[in-house]
Amino acid sequence: MTDIVTLNNISKHFGPVIGVDNVSLSVRSGEFVTLLGPSGCGKSTLLRMIGGFEEPTQGSVVINGDDVTHLPPNKRPVNIVFQDYALFPHMSVGKNVGYGLRVGGVRRTEVADRARAALELVGLGDRFDAKPHQLSGGQRQRVALARAIVRRPKVLLLDEPLSALDANLREAMQVELKRLQRKVGLTFIMVTHDQTEALALSDRVVVMCDGRVVQDGTPDTLYDRPSSTYVAGFIGTTNLFQGQVHGDTLHALGQKLVVPEGLAPEGRTLTFGFRPEKAEILTAAVAGNGTLPATVTDILYHGNSARIVVEVSGSPLSIDRTISDARHASGLPDIGDQVQIAIQPDRIMVLADEAAA
Amino acid sequence: MTALETSVPAITAVRSTSRKPRRWGASLGWGLAIGTVLAFLYVPIAVLVLFSFNTSRSLSWPMEGLTLDWYRTLAGNEQLIEAVGNSFYVATCSTILTLLIGVPAALALDRLSFPGKSAFRKLVLLPIALPGIITGISMLILFRMVGFTLSLETVIIGHATALLAVVVTQVYARLQRLPRSYEEASADLGANGLQTFFLVTLPNIRSSVIGAGLLSFTLSFDEIPVTFFLTGRDNTLPMYIWSTMRRGLTPEINAVGALIVAFSAVLIVLSVILMRDKPGAR
């Protein structure tokens, strides 16, 4: 697969403020890439530079083999779905979708046909003559999508596309976005601050912080092997603690844990972590090699799972247990119980770049 | 317990009887207030219109009889008809001129950032605070200096200057409420600057442009001070009325006034229809 978008050492300064700081990124054709980060991390600015709404202070933007760094948005083979959708209120849905074709000089009859086809693709073929204000939020979102793909761009940019929808609708739209991407085979670059959205939709997630890329990888890499406490903390919940590795033993939390040999450099104090679902709660009686004695302090019941908060040597750890049993909350310990914690050795993560001072 | 139960309905009963007369009083009061304001605004106009149909030349009550004679003399008064024509010419041209300058100026103020922008904004708005007589004199001096002959065209330039502030303020206010993403979306979809302006921006600021245009037209139509200094031998309607008034009030003037009132009413209705924002517009 070829690279459709390449960003070479892109920076964007707003006066003294650095919005994007020396970012390089390649997106392959057909990929669904998400830029993930908290607000103000530069992800939207990066997207806007791909779209042509901001000019980079340094670096270059290459789309489909052409350097478009200094080209305006209307000269780029990309289209964007704005956070507020930016549907033109004075035009009907059909006119909105056909707008890009109309200004591009496509014949009137063809404009209408292609607009209708695009609307049908998003399941709104029957709202051609409606005005945007007569549509629901989810429908407006779909019109914005149809309008952006009708010109068959090389890349579709999505700026927080689902943030204006309520929770239920958002989930349904996630499914639809993914389906649409598969169907049209377009390259999607999405910006979001919602980590579940990023994990659910993307082939690749680029985590950003303070204008820089902190990790770039597939959703499962980010989840299972976050490179830093920042990424680990941003994506999912992580139990973090400090420790030292000696051979196959991790000295941490005042206890000894079993880890694969060579997990981390010998004897250095580093930050380690594990995901709440990668540990098991055993009864106090079955203490074994590498298990940690713990006290249950809180239980949060979620229906299909429960989060059990325990204390090990004064540090709180969260542990998730799925409840597959038909009986309500069966098998959960009680608050105050003495238990043993067994962490899967190969699920212990080293957050390598966070060497403790 | 029982005492409480009985006392509650009693209280509501008292309240409901006392409420009705008070409401009557309040609405009567409001009605009077509104009536007074309306009378203050419209009685003089009503008198003007009424006396334009009076058979007698004297402005005394009661009227002697009804006639359309004054309108007939009006129709035969070439000077007056010429003045009306001039007024329409001046008002139309100065409105178009201010819109042509004012709308781009408002766009620049809203969309561009350039050094001295806030100073530019204040300077554009200043003429609205200046008395017309100052604008008139200063432009007269300038035109004399440059060697322009005074004519209706110099009046148009003078009016346009004074009206620019009206257009810029109104259009600028509308532009600020218009999401920037509309224009970005248009550019993203391949439209160039002109296409974006005519297909997206203008339709969305339409009501403010029409409103500013109609206001400019009306202001220009009845403008005297600037016109007084800048006109050559041609007269506009307000100037004509003003000059004939020196020979005394005539029913003919009343008839002209009545026609202007009718014309203004049409303009107002037109502006209300045209300025109605489409539903869903932000």
Side-chain angles (χ1 to χ4, degrees), chain B residues 84-181:
Chain B
V84 170
N86 287 342
S87 270
F88 268 103
Y89 173 67
V90 167
T92 310
C93 290
S94 58
T95 300
I96 291 171
L97 190 64
T98 27
L99 286 180
L100 284 181
I101 301 170
V103 174
L107 272 173
L109 271 179
D110 184 54
R111 289 336 195 207
L112 302 179
S113 58
F114 48 87
K117 180 172 148 172
S118 78
F120 175 65
R121 207 181 93 212
K122 286 175 188 111
L123 287 175
V124 166
L125 302 188
L126 187 63
I128 211 171
L130 281 181
I133 204 157
I134 303 295
T135 315
I137 292 176
S138 55
M139 293 206 85
L140 176 66
I141 294 168
L142 179 75
F143 288 153
R144 277 280 159 77
M145 228 172 71
V146 181
F148 277 12
T149 6
L150 294 182
S151 63
L152 287 179
E153 285 72 30
T154 48
V155 176
I156 290 170
I157 296 174
H159 282 188
T161 316
L163 294 172
L164 197 60
V166 173
V167 172
V168 172
T169 354
Q170 294 221 1
V171 176
Y172 179 64
R174 179 71 190 98
L175 277 172
Q176 286 207 306
R177 286 191 296 129
L178 192 70
R180 193 72 65 96
S181 59

Side-chain angles (χ1 to χ4, degrees), chain A residues 25-316:
Chain A
L25 181 72
S26 297
V27 178
R28 287 190 305 277
S29 185
E31 218 178 359
F32 195 134
V33 173
T34 299
L35 307 176
L36 176 66
S39 57
C41 73
K43 56 190 193 305
S44 285
T45 309
L46 199 62
L47 193 80
R48 290 173 62 79
M49 287 195 285
I50 301 172
F53 305 106
E54 308 279 355
E55 214 173 311
T57 316
Q58 267 161 37
S60 64
V61 181
V62 178
I63 298 174
N64 201 28
D66 301 317
D67 187 327
V68 297
T69 314
H70 304 291
L71 289 184
N74 54 333
K75 300 266 166 65
R76 297 184 184 210
V78 299
N79 283 121
I80 187 166
V81 174
F82 287 94
Q83 190 170 6
D84 64 353
Y85 314 142
L87 297 179
F88 307 133
H90 60 292
M91 291 183 195
S92 70
V93 165
K95 286 266 163 60
N96 259 287
V97 175
Y99 183 82
L101 302 170
R102 181 178 160 205
V103 297
V106 176
R107 269 184 302 112
R108 199 169 282 264
T109 49
E110 196 190 332
V111 170
D113 288 347
R114 280 170 66 179
R116 204 174 288 277
L119 276 173
E120 262 154 29
L121 196 65
V122 295
L124 284 176
D126 55 333
R127 304 310 304 269
F128 191 88
D129 294 314
K131 281 288 179 70
H133 71 94
Q134 296 168 318
L135 303 182
S136 69
Q139 288 175 325
R140 271 180 235 175
Q141 156 81 76
R142 287 192 248 173
V143 173
L145 271 171
R147 187 174 72 172
I149 59 173
V150 77
R151 292 174 73 230
R152 299 173 192 139
K154 301 281 183 214
V155 182
L156 185 69
L157 308 176
L158 302 125
D159 188 2
E160 304 260 4
L162 307 179
S163 64
L165 305 177
D166 60 49
N168 290 334
L169 203 52
R170 203 176 311 164
E171 201 152 305
M173 279 308 296
Q174 282 183 13
V175 176
E176 238 174 280
L177 255 185
K178 192 73 192 160
R179 196 179 52 91
L180 185 73
Q181 198 244 349
R182 273 200 304 270
K183 201 146 70 173
V184 296
L186 266 175
T187 311
F188 276 35
I189 303 178
M190 181 174 83
V191 156
T192 185
H193 63 266
D194 181 341
Q195 45 105 2
T196 50
E197 203 170 287
L199 293 183
L201 294 173
S202 332
D203 299 320
R204 191 147 65 90
V205 179
V206 177
V207 185
M208 292 186 68
C209 176
D210 294 334
R212 268 182 251 205
V213 173
V214 284
Q215 194 173 1
D216 176 349
T218 55
D220 54 319
T221 312
L222 289 184
Y223 190 79
D224 289 334
R225 292 277 168 254
S227 64
S228 60
T229 50
Y230 175 78
V231 177
F234 200 76
I235 295 175
T237 311
T238 318
N239 296 301
L240 295 173
F241 50 87
Q242 309 243 303
Q244 288 175 317
V245 171
H246 296 287
D248 64 351
T249 316
L250 168 59
H251 295 263
L253 301 163
Q255 307 285 332
K256 286 174 186 164
L257 285 146
V258 181
V259 292
E261 216 158 319
L263 178 73
E266 281 283 313
R268 265 181 67 195
T269 305
L270 298 168
T271 303
F272 295 85
F274 68 94
R275 299 288 184 186
E277 73 280 8
K278 308 295 192 210
E280 253 186 296
I281 293 180
L282 309 169
T283 51
V286 294
N289 191 17
T291 60
L292 309 174
T295 313
V296 176
T297 57
D298 288 287
I299 297 176
L300 306 169
Y301 180 67
H302 295 314
N304 59 345
S305 71
R307 171 154 296 177
I308 299 155
V309 184
V310 299
E311 215 171 80
V312 177
S313 314
S315 313

